[in-house]
Amino acid sequence: MSLIKLVTRWAAAPIKRGKKYLTGTVLLLAVSLAAYQPVFGADWHSVANIERDNVLASIYWISWVAFFSIAALSVTLLLFWREQRRVQSLAVLVENGEPDSLLRHFFDMPFIGMAITSPETKHWLQINDHLCNILGYTREELIEKSWTEMTHPDDLYLDIEQFERAMQGEVEGYTKEKRFIHKNGAIVHASLDVKCVRKLDGTVRFVVATIEDITGRKYAEEQLKLAAKVFEQSAEGLMITDADCNIVRVNHAFTVISGYTEAEVIGQNPRVLSSGQHDQNFFRAMWEHIVAFGHWKGEVWNRRKNGDVYPELLSISAVSNESGEVSEYVAVFSDISQLKASEAQLEFLAHNDSLTTLPNRRLLFCRLEHGIDVARREHKQFALLMLDLDRFKDVNDSFGHLAGDQLLQQVAERLTGRLRKVDTVARLGGDEFTVLLEDIAHPEDAARVAKEIIDDLSEPWLLPHCGEVKIGVSIGISLYPQHGDTPETLLQQADTALYLAKAQGRGRYAYFTDELTLAARERMELEARLRRAIAQNELRIYYQPQVDIESGRIVGAEALVRWQDPVEGLIQPCRFIPMAEETGLILAV
């Protein structure tokens, strides 16, 4: 039985006891009449026929019954009057703030707020200390206030409506949740139980209310609602497993990312998402970190339901119970496919030319540094070629920048297709390109490649909507280690050589030093003449006899080749045989 019901039942008890006393009086009168009935006999109307000697006995019994009847009625009236006085005394005691010890014992309970209020003014007539603690006021301050002043404005209308219904007798009381305003301005959520104590005529004498502070509970409920809302509406996938790593719950984002519905994964192990791209060492290290620190964060590759493998950023946290044992694991992950693609694109643009997709100056410097390290360690050499297109400005001016861009793209494709995979073609900007030739056997090898590039780029170019155009190229060459041992120095020397080549006329190449340039050109010219000599049968066979010294007889002959050049005359093998071996012409010779 609740405290409010106990108080109202105790206050209403005198009225019920008065009814019992009245009933007892009626029963007592009935018994008295039953006891008197034998004196009169079976017939109540035959008293006049009683013999004279029975008159005295009749008077005696009538007097005795009358006495008992009057006494019983008097006792009943006396007890009813006393109960009525008790009710009036209770009201006086309540109004004076002096309830008896039993009521005070319940009224001052420290775990629930209690108040007795006036039905007319709605002021608090009596309050306990716990209600003062709930609202932050002293007892004296609250006595001066009505409960309507303490109610949150948004709850006041409905609160007054329910209160008036109770006053009018439509309901005996009501239970509800409402908000009070604390003294410091904070909102106090309360559970309210209101009951009316009425007078004999049914009007309300006073109202008893119990107030329970449920702010903490409401906050916890709101937090749970918020957590549930965040769980379902989060853009990140959420997965909760038990201590044995069996999936117990997932959110909507999990389904969107992985393709699996909740019903398909509940009870499953997260291995159902594995892509197979991580070995056992990876997962062993991950779980060792979780055991040691309670969490882990990193990138993993997982597999969707449709088989697609995708990267995700994953965070796993261990949740422990009150005993310190792991009860759940919570995994939060997001699909970073687009992020990875963007990172790759940014990384590509940071190191490559956006128009031709060739390596840019930054990546060229990295390749040069690597090439220098390898060449220094393995005692090798390499060449750096600086290219500048001739008459490119005429194409831009005549056909527009779109045509110029198309020409640059075709040049990049032709250069890339001509060179080895180990070589690097880069665009520095405008119509300037560079070629890094790694691991060359002789300095003249760079000149040979330069000559081939000059011949290739001098061929006509067919541009969309523009027809055929013709350009050329000039090339400057620097060598490692002869011309420098840093990327900056080698580029500067190749640029200087390019300036020398352009000064000598378009469609030429030049080394950083004149001696190398002259030697390379002579070698290139000799190679071209040898090719022509093979085609025109300018090579001659000479036989050197082998003689036996003892007998003086010829025992054999050594076949020797000579080059009968129409301009220089006879050219000795020491000039053209090494070059033929290096260029691959020796087989044709």
Side-chain angles (χ1 to χ4, degrees):
M1 182 183 300
S2 65
L3 178 60
I4 190 69
K5 292 181 178 179
L6 179 63
V7 174
T8 52
R9 179 174 295 183
W10 181 72
I15 300 175
K16 296 181 179 179
R17 287 195 292 270
K19 293 179 180 179
K20 292 180 181 179
Y21 295 146
L22 184 58
T23 303
T25 302
V26 174
L27 291 175
L28 182 58
L29 287 175
V31 171
S32 300
L33 291 176
Y36 180 68
Q37 186 177 359
V39 179
F40 292 98
D43 188 358
W44 283 80
H45 300 285
S46 60
V47 177
N49 298 323
I50 299 176
E51 296 178 358
R52 184 177 296 274
D53 55 355
N54 291 330
V55 171
L56 295 177
S58 299
I59 293 173
Y60 171 78
W61 283 106
I62 291 173
S63 300
W64 187 252
V65 171
F67 171 76
F68 272 101
S69 299
I70 293 172
L73 182 60
S74 298
V75 171
T76 299
L77 293 175
L78 176 61
L79 292 175
F80 190 80
W81 176 77
R82 288 185 62 185
E83 293 302 329
Q84 184 68 17
R85 293 281 298 182
R86 286 174 61 85
V87 173
Q88 295 175 352
S89 299
L90 174 63
V92 172
L93 289 174
V94 171
E95 291 173 358
N96 294 333
E98 299 176 357
D100 60 19
S101 59
L102 180 61
L103 181 59
R104 170 59 66 183
H105 174 73
F106 288 108
F107 195 81
D108 287 335
M109 287 188 298
F111 54 83
I112 195 166
M114 288 199 65
I116 298 175
T117 63
S118 166
E120 292 85 8
T121 64
K122 300 181 179 60
H123 277 73
W124 278 312
L125 302 175
Q126 184 69 315
I127 53 178
N128 68 351
D129 291 337
H130 192 70
L131 181 59
C132 296
N133 295 334
I134 292 175
L135 299 179
Y137 290 91
T138 64
R139 188 185 297 267
E140 291 74 15
E141 290 173 332
L142 280 182
I143 290 295
E144 298 297 325
K145 295 181 177 293
S146 66
W147 57 263
T148 56
E149 297 178 59
M150 310 299 298
T151 302
H152 192 281
D154 294 343
D155 297 344
L156 184 58
Y157 176 79
L158 182 59
D159 205 4
I160 292 178
E161 180 182 7
Q162 291 178 305
F163 184 83
E164 293 299 333
R165 289 183 59 200
M167 295 303 100
Q168 295 171 8
E170 297 181 18
V171 293
E172 285 299 321
Y174 56 92
T175 301
K176 64 172 297 182
E177 291 184 3
K178 63 175 290 186
R179 291 170 291 177
F180 286 104
I181 304 298
H182 194 275
K183 184 178 180 179
N184 61 11
I187 295 177
V188 178
H189 292 267
S191 176
L192 194 67
D193 191 357
V194 178
K195 291 294 185 293
C196 300
V197 178
R198 302 183 183 275
K199 302 176 184 178
L200 294 177
D201 59 1
T203 59
V204 178
R205 182 176 294 278
F206 53 84
V207 179
V208 180
T210 58
I211 300 97
E212 180 184 2
D213 186 357
I214 60 172
T215 303
R217 189 179 76 193
K218 295 294 288 186
Y219 176 77
E221 291 175 356
E222 291 299 323
Q223 291 299 107
L224 288 175
K225 291 180 182 178
L226 179 60
K229 187 175 182 180
V230 170
F231 184 86
E232 282 303 323
Q233 298 185 3
S234 174
E236 287 75 27
L238 293 170
M239 177 176 62
I240 301 176
T241 72
D242 58 20
D244 297 325
C245 291
N246 298 312
I247 300 174
V248 297
R249 190 176 178 187
V250 297
N251 68 343
H252 178 68
F254 174 94
T255 299
V256 173
I257 295 174
S258 70
Y260 289 97
T261 64
E262 184 175 17
E264 290 174 324
V265 296
I266 293 299
Q268 298 286 333
N269 189 283
R271 283 193 297 269
V272 70
L273 305 174
S274 177
S275 65
Q277 296 195 13
H278 301 286
D279 57 18
Q280 292 299 321
N281 293 330
F282 174 84
F283 292 107
R284 184 181 300 109
M286 181 184 75
W287 281 108
E288 287 176 354
H289 194 280
I290 294 174
V291 172
F293 301 100
H295 61 86
W296 179 87
K297 184 176 183 179
E299 294 182 5
V300 299
W301 289 86
N302 272 344
R303 189 182 302 275
R304 306 186 205 274
K305 182 180 178 181
N306 62 7
D308 292 343
V309 176
Y310 67 98
E312 67 178 33
L313 182 62
L314 174 65
S315 175
I316 302 176
S317 299
V319 180
S320 302
N321 56 23
E322 296 178 354
S323 302
E325 300 174 345
V326 174
S327 57
E328 292 94 12
Y329 293 101
V330 178
V332 181
F333 64 92
S334 57
D335 185 350
I336 57 173
S337 301
Q338 293 185 353
L339 178 62
K340 283 292 186 181
S342 299
E343 288 179 352
Q345 181 67 16
L346 291 175
E347 179 71 15
F348 180 83
L349 293 177
H351 296 90
N352 294 80
D353 175 54
S354 59
L355 177 63
T356 63
T357 71
L358 294 176
N360 59 12
R361 182 183 295 269
R362 182 178 180 182
L363 183 54
L364 175 65
F365 265 69
C366 294
R367 300 261 177 102
L368 278 172
E369 290 176 348
H370 178 265
I372 291 172
D373 292 339
V374 173
R376 182 184 294 117
R377 183 172 60 252
E378 299 180 2
H379 305 289
K380 295 181 178 180
Q381 61 180 342
F382 65 81
L384 182 65
L385 281 60
M386 180 80 73
L387 285 67
D388 183 77
L389 301 182
D390 299 327
R391 296 185 296 274
F392 176 76
K393 186 176 182 299
D394 297 338
V395 175
N396 264 341
D397 294 342
S398 301
F399 302 105
H401 291 285
L402 178 60
D405 290 344
Q406 293 172 344
L407 178 59
L408 291 174
Q409 290 172 338
Q410 291 187 26
V411 169
E413 291 177 3
R414 189 171 293 186
L415 288 174
T416 304
R418 155 161 290 284
L419 300 174
R420 302 171 299 175
K421 291 184 178 181
V422 296
D423 300 327
T424 299
V425 180
R427 182 189 177 210
L428 302 185
D431 60 346
E432 288 188 339
F433 295 83
T434 57
V435 176
L436 173 61
L437 301 175
E438 297 194 46
D439 189 18
I440 59 173
H442 300 281
E444 294 81 3
D445 293 341
R448 184 178 304 105
V449 174
K451 183 65 170 62
E452 292 174 354
I453 292 175
I454 291 173
D455 293 340
D456 280 352
L457 300 190
S458 298
E459 296 291 330
W461 300 85
L462 184 62
L463 301 180
H465 312 296
C466 300
E468 188 177 278
V469 298
K470 192 173 180 63
I471 60 172
V473 62
S474 299
I475 302 176
I477 305 171
S478 64
L479 301 173
Y480 173 86
Q482 294 91 323
H483 300 150
D485 58 1
T486 65
E488 294 83 357
T489 303
L490 290 172
L491 275 173
Q492 182 178 356
Q493 310 299 42
D495 190 61
T496 301
L498 174 63
Y499 176 79
L500 295 175
K502 294 178 78 69
Q504 296 172 4
R506 295 176 176 178
R508 292 177 176 268
Y509 65 87
Y511 283 88
F512 175 68
T513 58
D514 292 337
E515 295 81 4
L516 281 174
T517 301
L518 180 60
R521 288 181 178 174
E522 288 179 352
R523 186 180 181 85
M524 293 294 295
E525 182 181 357
L526 184 62
E527 179 183 346
R529 289 169 55 193
L530 179 59
R531 292 180 184 276
R532 185 174 61 251
I534 295 173
Q536 296 179 1
N537 295 319
E538 296 178 359
L539 298 180
R540 300 287 183 267
I541 298 298
Y542 289 82
Y543 295 95
Q544 177 72 37
Q546 292 180 338
V547 179
D548 182 13
I549 296 177
E550 293 182 358
S551 63
R553 296 174 58 196
I554 297 176
V555 295
E558 181 182 4
L560 303 176
V561 64
R562 296 291 184 269
W563 180 4
Q564 186 66 43
D565 183 75
V567 177
E568 290 189 37
L570 194 63
I571 299 177
Q572 297 298 319
C574 61
R575 285 188 61 190
F576 68 88
I577 291 298
M579 183 268 296
E581 291 176 343
E582 293 172 4
T583 59
L585 290 175
I586 191 63
L587 295 178
V589 170

